[in-house]
């Protein structure tokens, strides 16, 4: 985000004066990094039309180029201090009715203040592109038949061609243009012109959907294997009872459903949604993108029939259709990833966030919002309850529960008194991994599980075949890096390429070290591709399949593999965290974590938390059916509290070790962080700018704000842009917000340098 200084903002107004200067004024904001509301006069012809929440076209800047902005308020008089004779006029209104309702206007204004972006940028993030460009619709001249003609159709005396055309038009469910009708009635335009002259047919200019409503994505699921609704367990009943006053009473309350995997959290969400639906209200369910599997969707569809599913693979037209039908109140249940938090439900009664600890709820481009925190704010503004569910709540959420802001509702037993799976740690420092990734104990456990007709899941959170390539010359020993990024390249054997996982750049394998020309580069590290090869060699009699973003490129491939695994055709499923989340396969009796340490040594204060979550989540993938499950975790750090606690399913034990560490360093949840990232093609320029930024911040900093840096980010270069960051910390968010609001308008990064402001950062690389 680059910020514009005060002088340039003034240029956005015209120099020339417009004639009349009274009448209502519209406050307009733009999707630009300028935190200001601009006033425009509403001309008489638009007075009855313009209202807050619409997009409008207005002249902008010296050249008066038409620009699209969002109307956020209407004032009767010109704002004080403004010369009415210099105000420009609104040109026209793009949305009628408005796209944004009052609650969303308020929510986006809060976002702008909290996440240090402009109101216009926040608004722009709320409205999907497909809605802005009205994807999937067309404006045309459509034919209509007046009601009285329709009623007396049989009595009309008409030439055959005209009679036929009129009959076809009356029968059509879809709006027809003249060209459509010529085609369908197999006639020329003559008969239609004649019908219009007689007044039997009229024309209107309208916007219409191009095709019929997408039956597939909203249709009710008439699955034959529909299950009866289960009777709630005692724990589930207790949780529902605790939430009932809020569910039935228009009350803001945040509930944390802290339940182990398989404790029946999803069943509680379904019951809670039913309660608010019965009152004619709508529910939004946020899940991580990765959990938007057919399995999750089927479960919601079976229960509620018509639901809207908002995932990242929708076309603009589909997104637009969903938005319209949600805004029209045609769908009561909306299930989606991060941005579904903005779904334009009119009578929202409940928000549910499953796996609330997931980092994918954080958006990594401006506005850098966290969907969980935005959802809590939305619930507060709309005075409704919100349920956060997780087996491993984020420590921020846990702390909010400790402080009494959220009500924690524990669900500590699995449904049907199924035991939690037994987790065994395999200390890799004592194992010889001659074959590759699988230790002998893990191989033996796989043999046993497969012989016993069970299924196996293997998790390895690294794609590719070899995870690094290194020069064997001891005086060089360089790791091959991407040309554009400060990142080691991964070798993908199937494609015979070295690939950068940060920018996706590909290059052929060099015959020798690019730096010292030593031949015979050494390839090391194990990715999922190599693990797949190892499994195929070790278990040739069983079907195995790899699931990662390389093998799951085709639409539908995810679903295909999962259903083959469900049917038992695939016996071994291996992959990245894609397989760790939200899946429920009763016949999985063994889960192997090939390397639990991949996240442990990251330069990130959440490294331990991520490791704990990952191991605990995969461990929950087994023992969900009638057969007990077993989990084997390979690690070099079996004594680390994150791995030790995860192996004992001991969330509170983990928290007891981790929170004091966070408190000691003032890290979240005990302090607030803001990360300022400067990037640009010229490293010296970025560094100088960040140093100046530090000085500006220091001069304005209230007490209690500490600053670290500027320093190169852990990944110092991405896509040929050098990156430096400055970290601001304070005990509460207020002083940081005040500081950013005071300094941000004065910052103007030079040349090609860009500045991003990340409030409550999740990614620290
Ligand atoms: P979670 O979301 O906590 O992992 P689920 O809601 O998916 O748990 O429940 C785990 C399994 O138990 C599912 O197969 C679900 O259908 C089943 N289940 C949940 N609640 C009940 C209940 N009250 N009676 C019987 N089975 C239940
Ligand atoms: Zn790269």
């Amino acid at each position: 985000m680059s910020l514009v200084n005060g002088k340039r903002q003034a240029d956005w107004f015209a120099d020339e004066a417009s004639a009349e200067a009274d009448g209502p004024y519209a406050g307009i904001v733009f999707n630009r990094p300028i935190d200001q509301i601009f006033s425009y006069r509403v001309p008489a012809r638009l007075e009855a039309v313009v209202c807050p929440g619409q997009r409008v076209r207005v002249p902008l800047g010296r050249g008066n180029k038409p620009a699209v902005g969002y109307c956020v308020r209407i004032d009767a008089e010109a704002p004080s201090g403004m010369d009415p004779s210099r105000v420009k006029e609104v040109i026209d209104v793009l949305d009628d009715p408005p796209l944004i309702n009052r609650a969303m206007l308020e929510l986006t204004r809060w976002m702008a203040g909290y996440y240090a972006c402009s109101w216009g940028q926040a608004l722009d993030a709320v409205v999907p592109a497909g809605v802005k460009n009205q994807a999937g619709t067309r404006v045309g001249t459509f034919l209509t038949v007046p009601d009285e003609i329709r009623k007396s159709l049989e009595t009309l005396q008409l030439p055959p061609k005209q009679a036929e055309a009129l009959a076809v038009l009356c029968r059509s469910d879809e709006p027809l243009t003249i060209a459509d009708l010529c085609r369908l009635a197999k006639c020329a335009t003559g008969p239609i012109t004649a019908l219009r002259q007689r007044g039997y047919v009229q024309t209107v200019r309208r916007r219409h959907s191009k095709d019929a409503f997408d039956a597939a994505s909203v249709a009710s699921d008439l699955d034959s294997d529909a299950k009866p609704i289960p009777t709630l367990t005692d724990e589930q009943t207790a949780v529902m009872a605790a939430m009932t006053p809020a569910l039935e009473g228009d009350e803001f309350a945040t509930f944390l459903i802290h339940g182990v995997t398989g404790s029946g959290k999803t069943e509680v969400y379904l019951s809670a949604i039913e309660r608010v639906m019965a009152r004619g209200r709508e529910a939004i369910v946020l899940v991580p993108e990765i959990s938007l599997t057919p399995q999750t969707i089927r479960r919601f569809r079976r229960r509620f029939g018509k639901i809207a599913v908002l995932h990242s693979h929708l076309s603009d037209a589909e997104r637009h259709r969903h938005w319209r039908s949600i805004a029209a109140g045609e769908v009561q249940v909306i299930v989606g990833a991060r941005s579904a938090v903005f779904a334009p439900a009119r009578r929202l009664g409940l928000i549910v966030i499953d796996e609330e600890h997931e980092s994918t709820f954080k958006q990594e481009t401006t506005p850098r919002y966290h969907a969980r925190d935005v959802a809590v704010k939305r619930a507060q503004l709309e005075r409704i309850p919100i349920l956060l569910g997780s087996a491993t709540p984020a420590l921020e959420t846990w702390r909010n529960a400790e402080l009494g802001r959220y009500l924690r509702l524990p669900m500590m037993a699995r449904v049907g008194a199924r035991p939690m799976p037994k987790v065994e740690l395999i200390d890799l420092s004592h194992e010889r991994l001659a074959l590759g990734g699988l230790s002998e104990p893990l191989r033996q456990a796989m043999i046993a599980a497969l012989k016993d007709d069970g299924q196996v899941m293997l998790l390895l959170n690294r794609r590719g075949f070899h995870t690094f390539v290194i020069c064997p010359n001891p005086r060089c020993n360089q790791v091959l890096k991407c040309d554009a990024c400060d990142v080691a390249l991964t070798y993908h054997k199937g494609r015979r390429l070295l690939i950068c996982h940060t920018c996706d750049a590909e290059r052929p394998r060099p015959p020798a070290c690019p730096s010292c020309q030593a031949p015979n580069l050494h390839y090391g590290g194990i990715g999922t591709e190599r693990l797949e090869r190892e499994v195929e060699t070790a278990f040739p009699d069983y079907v195995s399949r790899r699931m990662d973003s390389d093998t799951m490129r085709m639409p539908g491939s995810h679903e295909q593999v999962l259903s083959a695994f469900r049917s038992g055709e695939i016996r071994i499923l291996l992959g990245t965290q894609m397989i760790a989340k939200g899946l429920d396969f009763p016949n999985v009796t063994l889960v192997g974590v090939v390397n639990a340490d991949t996240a442990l040594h990251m330069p990130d204060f959440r490294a331990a938390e991520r490791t704990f979550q990952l191991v605990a989540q995969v461990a929950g993938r087994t023992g969900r059916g009638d057969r007990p499950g077993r989990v084997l975790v390979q690690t070099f750090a079996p004594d680390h509290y994150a791995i030790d606690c995860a192996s004992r399913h001991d969330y509170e034990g983990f928290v007891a070790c981790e929170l004091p560490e966070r408190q000691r360093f003032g890290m979240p949840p005990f302090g607030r962080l803001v990360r300022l990232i400067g990037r640009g093609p010229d490293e010296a320029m970025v560094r100088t700018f960040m140093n100046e930024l530090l000085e500006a911040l220091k001069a304005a900093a209230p007490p209690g704000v500490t600053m670290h840096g500027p320093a190169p980010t852990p990944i110092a270069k991405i896509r040929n842009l050098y990156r430096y960051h400055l970290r601001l910390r304070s005990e509460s968010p207020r002083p940081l917000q005040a500081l950013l609001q005071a300094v941000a308008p004065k910052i103007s990064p030079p040349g090609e340098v860009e500045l991003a402001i990340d409030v409550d950062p999740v990614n620290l690389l």
Side-chain angles (χ1 to χ4, degrees), residues 17 71 144 229 286 321 464 524 528 531 563 613 672-673 684 701 727:
C71 175
T144 62
I229 297 174
L286 298 187
R321 266 201 303 275
T528 44
L531 180 67
S563 78
Q613 286 167 349
R672 296 303 188 112
L673 285 187
R727 280 154 297 161

Side-chain angles (χ1 to χ4, degrees), residues 481-489 499-506 717-720:
K481 287 191 170 179
C482 173
D483 290 334
C485 311
D486 174 32
V487 168
L489 291 165
I499 299 179
C500 169
H501 285 179
T502 298
C503 76
D504 297 326
E506 303 170 349
K717 186 177 75 166
I718 292 180
R719 291 174 206 269
N720 284 316

